[in-house]
Amino acid sequence: MELPDGTIKPTEGKGTPQGGVISPVLANIFMDIVFDKWIAKEYPDNSFERYADDIIVHCKHIKDALRLLEAIKKRLSACKLELNREKSKIVYCRRNQRRHPPFKVYYQEFDFLGFTFRPRMERRRGRMQLGFSPAMSQKSISRITSELFKMKIHRWLNSTLSSIGYELKLKIRGWLNYYGVYRKSEMRRLFRALNQRLYKWVRSKYKRFKNKHWYYSLKYLQKIAKDYPNMFEHWKYQGFRP
């Protein structure tokens, strides 16, 4: 592996380097043979989704899930792979308020591709019913808010508010297009954190807000968001404005 300074780092142990460009490519080629074709042949009635080495397999009954989990462990072991015991679990996808399984349920939610899947109330045919659906995960929100914190937007004092909106335009649009597909309202916590960074920018930018309560910078930002809703991508949605 070549490092940024040009030096060559020798291989440590087996496998591809973590985060390497070739890693997901080789993982897809390998898992297509090891898992995809194997489960399609041996268990054709069980549908599944796989992204690189993250896999979800659907079962109708707990006994089927237990047997299939053991079969997957044996299959991976035979191919010199090991199942991650911490991440591998059987999740009960509760979708009915009346029917309950005759055993204690340990897991009723899971994360996959940045979304949390769990029981939620949904409107179906004009009625509210319990379903099992995805929404942006707390891990994804924490990761992005941490990224916003590291950007130190409140120190962009040479920029205008509109130029900050332009700089963040593609990022915010990407978050909305990806995570907003399911339950866009769950993104409120993310955009609340972004608006808080903008409050802080207002307090740092304008002297008249420095020694006043943060409420005044909030009211200032609320007025701008109302007058110029297209300045930031998330301001186009009224529920995401300050």
Side-chain angles (χ1 to χ4, degrees):
M1 183 171 60
E2 185 176 350
L3 300 178
D5 60 1
T7 59
I8 303 298
K9 182 180 179 181
T11 303
E12 297 177 358
K14 298 180 180 180
T16 56
Q18 183 70 25
V21 179
I22 196 65
S23 299
V25 178
L26 294 179
N28 277 321
I29 295 172
F30 194 70
M31 293 301 291
D32 178 65
I33 300 169
V34 170
F35 187 84
D36 297 2
K37 289 183 169 57
W38 169 79
I39 197 170
K41 179 181 178 181
E42 300 294 331
Y43 300 91
D45 296 331
N46 295 93
S47 57
F48 71 95
E49 295 84 31
R50 182 180 66 79
Y51 183 84
D53 59 348
D54 290 333
I55 307 169
I56 298 173
V57 184
H58 303 272
C59 298
K60 292 183 178 180
H61 305 287
I62 182 63
K63 292 182 179 178
D64 295 337
L66 290 169
R67 283 195 290 264
L68 184 53
L69 182 59
E70 287 301 316
I72 291 173
K73 288 180 181 178
K74 291 180 180 178
R75 171 61 177 174
L76 295 181
S77 179
C79 297
K80 299 182 179 181
L81 294 176
E82 185 179 352
L83 202 65
N84 189 319
R85 295 185 180 182
E86 293 181 0
K87 293 184 179 180
S88 302
K89 56 188 178 183
I90 295 176
V91 179
Y92 172 56
C93 301
R94 182 186 175 198
R95 300 179 63 181
N96 193 300
Q97 292 174 290
R98 298 179 181 178
R99 296 176 59 187
H100 296 278
F103 54 86
K104 185 177 180 180
V105 176
Y106 289 98
Y107 302 106
Q108 291 194 61
E109 65 177 48
F110 64 90
D111 288 357
F112 186 65
L113 300 182
F115 293 91
T116 295
F117 292 74
R118 65 176 179 83
R120 307 174 196 271
M121 295 303 296
E122 301 175 342
R123 184 176 294 279
R124 294 181 182 177
R125 298 175 183 177
R127 297 176 58 187
M128 295 302 294
Q129 297 180 359
L130 185 67
F132 198 88
S133 58
M136 187 178 186
S137 69
Q138 183 56 50
K139 289 182 180 178
S140 298
I141 294 174
S142 299
R143 177 180 56 80
I144 295 176
T145 52
S146 178
E147 179 183 342
L148 289 171
F149 182 79
K150 292 178 181 178
M151 291 174 70
K152 300 184 184 299
I153 297 173
H154 65 286
R155 294 185 180 177
W156 297 6
L157 301 183
N158 293 328
S159 303
T160 61
L161 200 58
S162 58
S163 64
I164 294 175
Y166 182 78
E167 286 291 328
L168 299 178
K169 183 177 181 179
L170 294 181
K171 282 182 177 291
I172 298 173
R173 185 182 294 174
W175 298 334
L176 287 167
N177 289 342
Y178 184 75
Y179 296 107
V181 174
Y182 304 103
R183 290 184 172 268
K184 189 174 288 181
S185 59
E186 292 291 327
M187 301 182 71
R188 282 197 184 99
R189 287 173 292 174
L190 168 62
F191 293 122
R192 189 183 301 123
L194 175 54
N195 289 333
Q196 287 173 351
R197 308 312 300 172
L198 297 178
Y199 305 159
K200 199 167 183 180
W201 178 87
V202 170
R203 286 172 63 85
S204 301
K205 177 76 171 179
Y206 302 108
K207 292 182 179 179
R208 65 180 184 272
F209 293 114
K210 282 186 178 180
N211 297 323
K212 290 186 178 181
H213 193 271
W214 62 267
Y215 173 78
Y216 293 96
S217 58
L218 168 62
K219 295 297 290 183
Y220 175 80
L221 205 63
Q222 286 177 337
K223 185 179 185 307
I224 293 180
K226 183 179 179 180
D227 295 340
Y228 305 97
N230 294 326
M231 186 175 291
F232 286 84
E233 287 294 309
H234 65 295
W235 284 2
K236 295 177 181 179
Y237 304 89
Q238 192 168 0
F240 297 153
R241 293 176 192 169

